[in-house]
């Protein structure tokens, strides 16, 4: 009597064993990370990553190769592209928009998917603050020439708008023609709709949200300081491209710097200030979610990543 069920069990195991192994999935969980800053809800949104040969596009290549080898990081380096969404209760404000379609498939362009995963729609965003006009920060404003954010006013320091969108931009800076054309492709729909607003240096744009000039990487490169109930977050854009090297040696620059000396001075100033005041930093290209503190170190500074919180 028992022999038949045993046979069944053996058969079942045999069938299960013959099944094909499950295919590898390879995708990540949606890329967003939430924290409260006083009364503000901050959501870091990943736009994905982009691989860059940082040893070829930054100064001090040997120092970079050694530091990355020590950090077990391959070249080209996979750099995060982080954007930041602030829900103040009165406003929904996005700082930077990622690369959109500018870097092609499998490189950036995940912002809107991660925005949806985080529970928001593009048309709910009423303001976009650009740290600067570069493809990986302003590229996500438009896809296929159409604005992604139907109701948002875009804010940028007037120095960047003048430099990248000015009538003589290509004539004056022919080497930057590609970036200038990309700037037009993604910002022009907002200009045409009267939804690009420039500010001039340090300005309180919304209650508790101020621009902090950090010129050099681009002429109008700007950090944004968010204050709520005694807590502070500084979103510093491209102050650091390569955490493994530039904290210890802020003099390392990148080819994308419009003015390398000014970019270095701006980096040193923000490192000094954030280390001294213990301000939480949100960084565009430090490994997602790019949140942490700056600490003084025997040589320059070091990055102290914010520990993970389940938010429970
Ligand atoms: Zn950037």
């Amino acid at each position: 009597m028992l022999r038949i069920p045993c046979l069944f069990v053996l058969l079942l195991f045999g069938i299960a064993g013959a099944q094909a192994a499950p295919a590898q999935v390879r995708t990540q969980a949606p890329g967003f990370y939430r924290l409260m800053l006083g009364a503000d809800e901050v959501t870091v949104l990943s736009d994905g990553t982009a691989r860059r040969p940082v040893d070829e596009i930054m100064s001090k290549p040997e120092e970079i190769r050694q530091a990355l080898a020590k950090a077990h990081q391959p070249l080209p380096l996979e750099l995060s592209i982080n954007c930041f969404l602030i829900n103040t209760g009165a406003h929904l404000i996005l700082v930077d928009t990622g690369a959109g379609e500018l870097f092609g498939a499998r490189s950036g362009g995940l912002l809107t998917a991660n925005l949806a995963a985080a529970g928001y729609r593009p048309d709910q965003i009423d303001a976009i603050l650009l740290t600067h006009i570069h493809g990986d920060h302003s590229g996500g404003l438009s896809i296929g020439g159409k604005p992604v954010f139907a109701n948002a006013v875009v804010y940028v320091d007037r120095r960047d708008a003048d430099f990248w969108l000015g009538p003589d931009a290509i004539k004056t800076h022919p080497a930057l023609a590609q970036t200038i054309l990309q700037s037009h492709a993604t910002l022009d729909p907002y200009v045409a709709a009267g939804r690009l607003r420039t500010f001039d240096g340090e300005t309180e744009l919304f209650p508790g949200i101020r621009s902090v000039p950090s010129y050099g990487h681009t002429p109008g490169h700007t950090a944004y300081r968010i204050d709520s109930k005694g807590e502070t977050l500084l979103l510093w854009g491209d102050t650091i491209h390569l955490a493994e090297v530039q904290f210890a040696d802020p003099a390392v620059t990148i080819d994308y710097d419009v003015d390398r000396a000014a970019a270095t001075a701006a980096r040193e100033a923000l490192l000094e200030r954030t280390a001294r005041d213990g301000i939480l930093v949100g960084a565009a290209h430090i490994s997602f979610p790019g949140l942490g503190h700056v600490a003084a170190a025997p040589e320059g500074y070091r990055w102290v990543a914010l520990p993970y919180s389940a938010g429970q």
Side-chain angles (χ1 to χ4, degrees):
M1 287 295 284
L2 276 171
R3 292 180 84 172
I4 290 166
C6 278
L7 209 78
F8 268 121
V9 170
L10 277 172
L11 267 171
L12 277 171
F13 272 112
I15 290 163
Q19 271 180 0
Q24 294 175 337
V25 179
R26 299 206 179 184
T27 49
Q28 296 289 13
F32 67 88
Y33 185 77
R34 206 105 65 183
L35 75 155
M36 290 303 292
L37 183 85
D40 291 351
E41 180 204 68
V42 177
T43 307
V44 189
L45 297 167
S46 172
D47 188 53
T49 59
R51 285 186 169 78
R52 291 290 178 270
V54 287
D55 57 329
E56 293 170 22
I57 59 172
M58 297 184 79
S59 65
K60 307 195 185 180
E62 203 37 54
E63 186 178 320
I64 288 171
R65 283 184 210 116
Q66 283 176 16
L68 290 179
K70 224 169 110 184
H72 305 281
Q73 288 296 307
L75 282 160
L77 184 68
E78 190 174 351
L79 284 172
S80 288
I81 306 174
N82 305 323
C83 309
F84 299 85
L85 185 72
I86 301 133
N87 187 344
T88 67
H91 294 282
L92 190 60
I93 299 167
L94 178 64
V95 177
D96 286 343
T97 65
E101 59 191 353
L102 293 181
F103 291 174
R106 302 170 64 89
S107 188
L110 301 181
L111 175 77
T112 47
N114 285 323
L115 179 70
Y120 291 103
R121 298 189 315 270
D123 63 7
Q124 292 176 302
I125 293 171
D126 56 74
I128 294 171
L129 315 182
L130 297 178
T131 58
H132 61 298
I133 299 174
H134 260 169
D136 53 328
H137 299 259
S138 52
L141 282 171
S142 301
I143 302 289
K146 299 250 178 334
V148 171
F149 304 95
N151 299 308
V153 173
V154 178
Y155 294 79
V156 69
D157 189 291
R158 68 166 179 79
R159 288 156 189 80
D160 250 42
D162 291 349
F163 186 83
W164 299 106
L165 302 174
D168 294 327
I170 290 187
K171 225 191 306 170
T172 321
H173 303 285
L176 300 175
Q178 193 196 356
T179 308
I180 293 166
L181 291 173
Q182 288 178 341
S183 307
H184 278 292
T186 48
L187 279 141
D188 281 358
Y190 294 83
V191 176
R195 291 199 279 127
L196 180 71
R197 207 162 293 171
T198 59
F199 55 85
D200 189 0
E202 189 168 347
T203 307
E204 180 162 46
L205 296 164
F206 296 92
I209 300 183
R210 300 186 76 82
S211 56
V212 179
S214 183
Y215 305 148
H217 176 56
T218 65
H221 182 270
T222 293
Y224 293 99
R225 181 182 164 122
I226 324 294
D227 283 285
S228 180
K229 293 191 180 293
E231 294 185 34
T232 301
L233 170 66
L234 186 75
L235 303 175
W236 73 11
D238 280 7
T239 297
I240 295 282
H241 286 92
L242 185 53
E244 289 84 351
V245 172
Q246 286 176 301
F247 283 105
D249 186 355
V252 172
T253 57
I254 193 163
D255 290 356
Y256 311 138
D257 289 337
V258 174
D259 181 336
R260 287 177 193 261
T264 298
R267 177 163 40 256
E268 282 171 345
L270 283 190
L271 288 171
E272 198 270 330
R273 192 159 145 192
T274 47
R276 184 195 63 206
D277 297 344
I279 292 173
L280 180 64
V281 169
H285 298 307
I286 294 177
S287 195
F288 177 80
L291 294 167
H293 291 88
V294 179
E299 220 178 300
Y301 299 88
R302 65 189 173 89
W303 178 244
V304 184
L306 194 72
Y308 174 77
S309 165
Q312 290 170 314

